[in-house]
Amino acid sequence: MPVASIFSTVQEDLEKVEAKLQSIADVEYPVLSALLRHILNTGGKRLRPALALLSAKFHCYDLETLIPLASALELLHTATLVHDDIIDNATTRRGASTLNTIVDGRSTILIGDYLFARSAAFAAESDNLRVMKIFARTLTKICDGELRNMLGSDDLDHTRREYYRKIESKTAALFVAAVESGSVLSNAPENEIQALVSYGHSVGTAFQIVDDILDFVGDERKMGKPVGSDLRQGTVTLPAIYLLESRPNDVELRRLMRHHGDFPDREEGIKRLIETIANSSAIASARNEALDFVQQAKKALFVLPDNKYRRALADLADYVIERSS
Amino acid sequence: MPVASIFSTVQEDLEKVEAKLQSIADVEYPVLSALLRHILNTGGKRLRPALALLSAKFHCYDLETLIPLASALELLHTATLVHDDIIDNATTRRGASTLNTIVDGRSTILIGDYLFARSAAFAAESDNLRVMKIFARTLTKICDGELRNMLGSDDLDHTRREYYRKIESKTAALFVAAVESGSVLSNAPENEIQALVSYGHSVGTAFQIVDDILDFVGDERKMGKPVGSDLRQGTVTLPAIYLLESRPNDVELRRLMRHHGDFPDREEGIKRLIETIANSSAIASARNEALDFVQQAKKALFVLPDNKYRRALADLADYVIERSS
């Protein structure tokens, strides 16, 4: 099912989120305004705002606080991408030039900070202390994960545990924040909030595994970035972990995967490795693991009343694994 | 009066703030821990936490929420300095190496983000929605000021207005946040909160003017950075504005002050200009302007009961103009 149909029940509210997001580009300086619009318009599918909106639908909520919250989540996501792209030296994202290729690093840092700030200000408009705490906790988790990613050991034997810790802070935390704060703002009972937290965690995890699979087998045009970016940066994701597990004694493979390794002609080796993984059972194994998370996510929803919003959340879980970009 | 005597009435609480600040360095990675300690220990006089603590003293407060808030303010300040130093390519601050000279730019960005995140998490521990809103508003104001600074026009005719706008977002906003959130947490009546806001704004403005004066006439060893840094970066501060006003037709001077100007042998020109300003009446004029703000600050305090905390706040206003580093 295309994502637009899944979101149809919250389409009107998503348009309000879009307008709220675009409002941050109404600034005094035309250059800054253009840059902010560029970042906002190369944005993704607004999954996180949609999750917050859908999660609020089971009880009563005030749109005046829900729209800023949903917008805050997307801005927080965008801010982390802006800083990630400087840090990773990425040149394209979703087919468009990254901010750091358009302006200098100094401006990119500041614009990222500005997005963080506006995101916090939007979250404060939710007028809800628990939501503000969720927001602060999530921001800490994301930054903590980034630091772990940069400073963590290169030890491939701990990779699977490290991989799931990284997913938790990089992706799942923000999915959880979306569903948790959406349901908190609708004054949902605690058991429903916790069911959605569990859903958000599983869907977020599945989403990132699929992202990592697509980095090997995705269509470069649809993805808007070259395949194999992760391995090239020394990031070992689930498909690569499966390959490593199937070849426990392959010393060459281990040397190649280490970012700071001394493998001769690394780029050639990486290219071969990407092909090897793409054509191996590692992809199917990783996809099965993602599917498990999708099943868990859908199971968590049983606590909620069976209505079109619950069905949309279940469809979204399916979409996460079916998507091709 | 030395700053330690002024802070004596809140010394015990300041030590709790210090312990709270140091707690952010308790992280898994020894390298990160060492870097965080380096940043925290080259910290300044903890003026912002002290302002928050003193402002809470007029009514009842809970130390469990006040200490995190006071710590959040210092961390927010520290986070902005870390990103400022990458942006300005600064090598020393308060006599110590800046983070960006110790680790690469990527790590510096992430560590700055981490400080922002921990700062937001500490602010959330204040358990007070109004405080969270003050925090978000202040963060936005600071980032907005930074962007204005980078993108603003080079038009020297608007400089005085621009100068005060910049001070407002760069320095005064955080002083205001400190006194406002401190008094909010003590459940002070609104007229007292507003008196402290007015005090914070005036003291913050005076503080920055004095900073800018010291950039011309300060002792490099005490300051821990070379004199004239502002002019060298094309930042026109109050002493330079006084000189510009006294020489309205000096085209050479204007060309030299413009950061992107085509002045031949700019460094030589800047050095002469620093000497000219340091020995001119511009310094005394700027100091008088700062003194006006100090008087306004002390006047604002009359709304509060006359006790040792009010006297400490008044002494702090005097200290701001008397300090030499």
Side-chain angles (χ1 to χ4, degrees):
Chain A
M1 192 183 279
V3 74
S5 330
I6 302 172
F7 290 171
S8 60
T9 55
V10 287
Q11 193 48 46
E12 218 173 294
D13 295 349
L14 271 176
E15 281 161 24
K16 291 189 181 111
V17 169
E18 202 55 44
K20 181 91 184 165
L21 287 173
Q22 298 292 336
S23 76
I24 68 151
D26 295 336
V27 289
E28 199 174 325
Y29 302 105
V31 177
L32 177 60
S33 183
L35 293 171
L36 290 169
R37 277 190 211 291
H38 173 79
I39 302 166
L40 290 170
N41 295 340
T42 53
K45 308 176 192 75
R46 313 301 191 212
L47 276 185
R48 293 152 193 85
L51 280 169
L53 296 172
L54 283 169
S55 300
K57 284 286 183 188
F58 299 89
H59 297 277
C60 289
Y61 57 87
D62 181 356
L63 216 51
E64 295 291 307
T65 59
L66 187 62
I67 299 294
L69 179 265
S71 312
L73 293 161
E74 186 68 17
L75 274 193
L76 176 54
H77 175 55
T78 310
T80 62
L81 296 184
V82 166
H83 279 184
D84 273 3
D85 285 342
I86 328 177
I87 289 164
D88 297 341
N89 234 329
T91 53
T92 53
R93 179 177 288 278
R94 299 176 189 131
S97 301
T98 54
L99 191 58
N100 46 303
T101 62
I102 303 173
V103 290
D104 60 15
R106 302 164 61 218
S107 310
T108 311
I109 297 170
L110 269 189
I111 292 173
D113 287 350
Y114 180 72
L115 292 171
F116 274 123
R118 294 304 305 266
S119 160
F122 281 179
E125 285 181 40
S126 74
D127 242 334
N128 185 297
L129 202 54
R130 182 163 170 190
V131 165
M132 289 302 290
K133 289 191 171 198
I134 293 169
F135 187 85
R137 179 197 72 200
T138 308
L139 180 55
T140 306
K141 211 162 200 172
I142 293 171
C143 291
D144 196 52
E146 293 277 0
L147 285 169
R148 181 184 307 284
N149 198 12
M150 188 155 65
L151 301 167
S153 83
D154 228 7
D155 187 347
L156 296 176
D157 294 327
H158 295 138
T159 304
R160 182 177 277 261
R161 199 180 63 198
E162 279 297 312
Y163 175 71
Y164 276 107
R165 279 180 82 167
K166 208 185 295 170
I167 282 194
E168 164 63 25
S169 54
K170 184 179 165 186
T171 313
L174 202 47
F175 276 65
V176 167
V179 293
E180 186 178 359
S181 50
S183 57
V184 163
L185 279 188
S186 74
N187 300 302
E190 195 59 35
N191 69 322
E192 292 189 17
I193 297 175
Q194 290 313 320
L196 281 163
V197 164
S198 165
Y199 164 87
H201 185 266
S202 297
V203 167
T205 307
F207 182 88
Q208 187 58 49
I209 294 175
V210 173
D211 235 36
D212 296 339
I213 292 172
L214 290 172
D215 192 51
F216 288 102
V217 298
D219 180 329
E220 293 196 347
R221 274 168 314 166
K222 278 192 189 172
M223 304 279 294
K225 61 171 187 173
V227 296
S229 310
D230 290 334
L231 266 190
R232 217 166 262 118
Q233 278 166 27
T235 304
V236 177
T237 61
L238 196 56
I241 291 170
Y242 269 110
L243 190 73
L244 277 170
E245 286 173 350
S246 70
R247 300 182 185 180
N249 301 315
D250 191 333
V251 180
E252 286 292 285
L253 181 65
R254 276 152 201 273
R255 272 177 58 203
L256 181 55
M257 282 202 193
R258 282 199 177 86
H259 189 30
H260 305 291
D262 55 352
F263 200 87
D265 200 1
R266 190 166 184 265
E267 177 56 27
E268 198 43 54
I270 291 280
K271 271 191 185 152
R272 274 204 317 275
L273 183 55
I274 291 166
E275 254 187 76
T276 306
I277 292 176
N279 296 310
S280 76
S281 63
I283 297 297
S285 304
R287 196 178 291 277
N288 276 337
E289 211 159 311
L291 197 57
D292 279 347
F293 282 104
V294 168
Q295 301 303 349
Q296 283 176 41
K298 285 159 78 176
K299 218 168 125 187
L301 294 175
F302 288 165
V303 171
L304 300 165
D306 186 8
N307 60 21
K308 60 181 174 179
Y309 306 116
R310 191 179 102 177
R311 284 192 291 280
L313 287 169
D315 288 344
L316 189 62
D318 285 330
Y319 161 77
V320 154
I321 199 152
E322 288 157 9
R323 75 205 170 95
S324 59
S325 73
Chain B
M1 192 184 277
V3 74
S5 331
I6 302 172
F7 289 171
S8 61
T9 55
V10 287
Q11 192 48 45
E12 218 174 293
D13 295 349
L14 271 176
E15 280 161 24
K16 291 190 181 111
V17 169
E18 202 55 45
K20 181 91 183 165
L21 287 172
Q22 298 292 336
S23 77
I24 68 152
D26 295 335
V27 290
E28 199 173 326
Y29 302 105
V31 177
L32 177 60
S33 183
L35 293 171
L36 290 169
R37 278 190 210 291
H38 172 78
I39 302 167
L40 290 170
N41 295 341
T42 53
K45 308 175 193 75
R46 312 301 191 213
L47 276 184
R48 293 151 193 85
L51 280 169
L53 296 172
L54 283 169
S55 300
K57 285 286 185 189
F58 299 89
H59 296 277
C60 289
Y61 57 87
D62 180 356
L63 217 51
E64 294 291 306
T65 60
L66 187 62
I67 298 295
L69 179 265
S71 312
L73 293 160
E74 185 69 15
L75 274 192
L76 176 55
H77 174 57
T78 311
T80 62
L81 296 184
V82 166
H83 279 185
D84 273 4
D85 285 342
I86 327 177
I87 290 165
D88 297 341
N89 236 330
T91 54
T92 54
R93 179 177 287 278
R94 299 177 189 131
S97 301
T98 55
L99 192 58
N100 46 301
T101 62
I102 303 174
V103 291
D104 60 14
R106 301 163 62 218
S107 311
T108 311
I109 296 170
L110 270 188
I111 292 174
D113 287 350
Y114 180 73
L115 292 171
F116 274 123
R118 294 305 303 268
S119 160
F122 280 179
E125 284 181 41
S126 74
D127 241 334
N128 186 297
L129 202 55
R130 181 162 171 189
V131 165
M132 290 301 291
K133 289 193 172 197
I134 293 169
F135 187 85
R137 177 196 73 199
T138 308
L139 180 55
T140 306
K141 210 162 201 173
I142 293 172
C143 292
D144 196 52
E146 293 276 0
L147 285 168
R148 180 185 307 284
N149 198 12
M150 189 155 64
L151 300 167
S153 83
D154 228 6
D155 187 346
L156 296 177
D157 294 326
H158 294 139
T159 303
R160 182 177 276 261
R161 200 181 62 197
E162 279 297 311
Y163 175 71
Y164 275 106
R165 280 180 81 167
K166 208 185 296 171
I167 281 195
E168 164 63 24
S169 54
K170 184 179 166 187
T171 313
L174 202 47
F175 276 65
V176 167
V179 292
E180 187 178 0
S181 50
S183 57
V184 163
L185 279 189
S186 74
N187 300 302
E190 196 59 35
N191 71 321
E192 291 188 17
I193 297 175
Q194 290 313 319
L196 280 164
V197 163
S198 165
Y199 164 86
H201 186 267
S202 297
V203 167
T205 306
F207 182 87
Q208 187 58 50
I209 295 175
V210 173
D211 235 36
D212 297 339
I213 293 172
L214 289 173
D215 193 49
F216 287 102
V217 298
D219 180 330
E220 293 196 348
R221 274 168 313 165
K222 278 193 189 172
M223 303 280 293
K225 62 170 188 175
V227 296
S229 310
D230 290 334
L231 266 190
R232 216 165 261 119
Q233 278 166 29
T235 304
V236 176
T237 61
L238 196 56
I241 291 171
Y242 269 109
L243 190 73
L244 277 169
E245 285 173 351
S246 70
R247 299 183 186 179
N249 301 315
D250 191 334
V251 181
E252 287 292 284
L253 181 66
R254 276 153 200 273
R255 272 176 60 202
L256 181 56
M257 282 204 194
R258 281 200 177 87
H259 189 32
H260 305 291
D262 55 353
F263 200 87
D265 200 1
R266 189 166 183 267
E267 178 55 27
E268 200 42 52
I270 291 282
K271 271 191 186 153
R272 272 204 317 274
L273 183 54
I274 291 166
E275 255 187 74
T276 306
I277 292 177
N279 296 310
S280 76
S281 64
I283 297 297
S285 304
R287 196 177 290 278
N288 276 336
E289 212 158 311
L291 197 58
D292 278 347
F293 282 104
V294 168
Q295 301 304 349
Q296 282 175 42
K298 286 159 80 175
K299 217 168 127 185
L301 294 175
F302 288 165
V303 171
L304 300 166
D306 186 8
N307 60 21
K308 61 181 173 179
Y309 305 116
R310 190 178 103 177
R311 282 191 293 278
L313 287 169
D315 288 343
L316 190 62
D318 285 330
Y319 162 77
V320 153
I321 199 152
E322 288 157 9
R323 75 205 169 94
S324 59
S325 73

